[in-house]
Amino acid sequence: MVSIFFENGALGTVDTCFCIPDNSSKNILELYGSGGSIIANGTIGQGAAGEMIAYLDSDSSAYNAGQERNAGDGLIINPVPKNTYLAEIEEFGNAILENRQPSNSFSLGLRSQQVLEACYRSAKTGKVEMI
């Protein structure tokens, strides 16, 4: 689990685990923000499956203490199902064939590794890492 503090004051939390047996994993990605949330169920992995629902808050100033929700309040997002692993390989191959830079650049990959390394350092030292 990682807490991320952004320059604009926003707080992000990443909670992930890759050591759960397949039959036990819920395979859910949850994104929450001040304007709503997106819940992706069954979209992570090598299969071309799953569903995404957005719950958008048109009036963020109101607070419903009863936490009442209607099941049909979400906006169903229907992206074209893809095997993300295969799509990554195809994008890299097409970039070579088309003599262009791949959309997943070296700098993006390096930045991801820097963030992960900072997470490991923070876990080891117990100190906040600034990157």
Side-chain angles (χ1 to χ4, degrees), residues 37-104:
S37 63
I38 296 177
I39 309 299
N41 189 3
T43 59
I44 302 170
Q46 296 187 45
E51 66 180 7
M52 294 175 70
I53 301 175
Y55 299 93
L56 306 176
D57 189 3
S58 60
D59 182 14
S60 61
S61 64
Y63 175 71
N64 180 348
Q67 299 291 303
E68 299 158 349
R69 295 173 178 86
N70 294 323
D73 284 349
L75 171 67
I76 296 174
I77 303 170
N78 290 314
V80 176
K82 284 193 170 211
N83 176 326
T84 54
Y85 295 88
L86 179 60
E88 186 175 358
I89 293 167
E90 288 175 340
E91 164 58 18
F92 183 74
N94 287 335
I96 292 171
L97 293 173
E98 297 166 8
N99 196 28
R100 63 172 172 80
Q101 291 294 318
S103 60
N104 231 352

Side-chain angles (χ1 to χ4, degrees), residues 16-28:
T16 184
C17 185
F18 290 102
C19 60
I20 299 172
D22 287 345
N23 290 334
S24 301
S25 174
K26 300 216 184 313
N27 193 1
I28 296 173

